[in-house]
Structure formats: structure tokens, C-alpha cells
């Protein structure tokens, strides 16, 4: 993954995080609270933002140090984690499809793998 693509994905995922978070907190709060899923929704938004901000930093670092190829791997793992972890929680919140709870930990594993890839990349500094 290139620095440009990583930064573009960070911008997109950041904008989506703000939009989804605001829509859920204001437009859907009553529905999410009635189903007991407001905390789940907040977790999805929070993890999306944590990893979007980390993705932004990785994109900048990769721009400065394009030789650290593991940073592209880190970014890919985190994007996958956002899609699977946060995405499955969003779908669960809005549809009530409970089997998605079994998919969510896979996104968490991608987040962890991304942090390990970052550790390995940092060893090359």
C-alpha cells in the first residue's frame, strides 16, 4: 500500500467516522438505546477512529520512509480491521443480526496483527 493510498483511506475513514458517529448519536440514539446497542455502536466508532488516526500517522511515516514496506502491511491490516470489527458492529446495531458477533473478533485480530507489523517496521528505523 502506498503512502498516498493510506492517507486517502485515513481521510475517507475519518470522514465516515464523523458522519456515522454523528448520525448514530443524534439521529439513531433512541433506536440504539431501545435495542441496548448504543454502547456497541460507540465501541465501533471509537475503534474506527483510533485506527484511522494511527493510519494517518503510518501514512505520513511511510511517505518519509518508503523503505519501511511493513508500514503498508500495517495499514492494510488496520483497514481490514476497521471494515470487519467496526463494520460488523455497525451492521449488528442496525440490523440485529447476532451471528455477526462471531465475526467481530477477526477484526480485532487484524488490529493486533497491524500493531505487531508496526512493531516490526519500527525495528528497522
Amino acid at each position: 500500500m502506498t503512502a498516498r493510498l493510506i492517507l486517502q483511506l485515513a481521510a475517507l475513514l475519518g470522514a465516515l467516522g464523523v458522519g456515522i458517529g454523528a448520525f448514530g448519536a443524534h439521529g439513531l440514539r433512541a433506536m440504539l438505546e431501545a435495542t441496548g446497542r448504543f454502547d456497541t455502536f460507540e465501541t465501533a466508532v471509537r475503534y474506527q477512529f483510533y485506527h484511522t488516526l494511527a493510519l494517518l500517522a503510518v501514512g505520513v511515516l511511510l511517505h518519509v520512509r518508503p523503505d519501511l514496506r511493513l508500514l503498508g502491511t500495517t495499514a492494510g491490516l488496520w483497514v481490514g480491521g476497521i471494515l470487519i470489527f467496526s463494520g460488523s458492529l455497525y451492521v449488528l446495531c442496525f440490523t440485529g443480526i447476532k451471528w455477526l458477533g462471531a465475526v467481530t473478533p477477526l477484526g480485532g485480530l487484524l488490529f493486533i496483527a497491524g500493531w505487531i507489523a508496526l512493531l516490526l517496521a519500527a525495528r528497522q528505523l
Side-chain angles (χ1 to χ4, degrees):
M1 203 176 279
T2 66
R4 177 183 297 207
L5 178 58
I6 293 168
L7 293 171
Q8 289 173 337
L9 286 169
L12 175 64
L13 290 167
L16 285 172
V18 171
I20 292 168
F23 184 59
H26 300 290
L28 300 173
R29 185 179 191 115
M31 185 270 298
L32 290 167
E33 287 177 342
T35 60
R37 293 200 172 96
F38 189 73
D39 288 343
T40 301
F41 181 80
E42 283 187 323
T43 298
V45 172
R46 187 171 44 252
Y47 274 78
Q48 179 174 345
F49 266 110
Y50 290 159
H51 289 88
T52 295
L53 292 173
L55 195 62
L56 180 64
V58 163
V60 170
L61 182 56
L62 185 59
H63 179 70
V64 173
R65 290 288 308 270
D67 58 303
L68 298 177
R69 298 177 59 113
L70 274 173
L71 293 175
T73 301
T74 299
L77 290 165
W78 285 343
V79 169
I82 290 169
L83 294 174
I84 295 172
F85 183 89
S86 295
S88 67
L89 291 180
Y90 292 141
V91 174
L92 170 68
C93 288
F94 298 126
T95 68
I97 300 172
K98 293 183 180 181
W99 64 264
L100 285 170
V103 173
T104 305
L106 297 175
L109 289 174
L110 291 175
F111 286 148
I112 293 167
W115 287 104
I116 293 169
L118 179 60
L119 171 68
L120 296 173
R123 294 181 70 200
Q124 298 173 7
L125 289 174

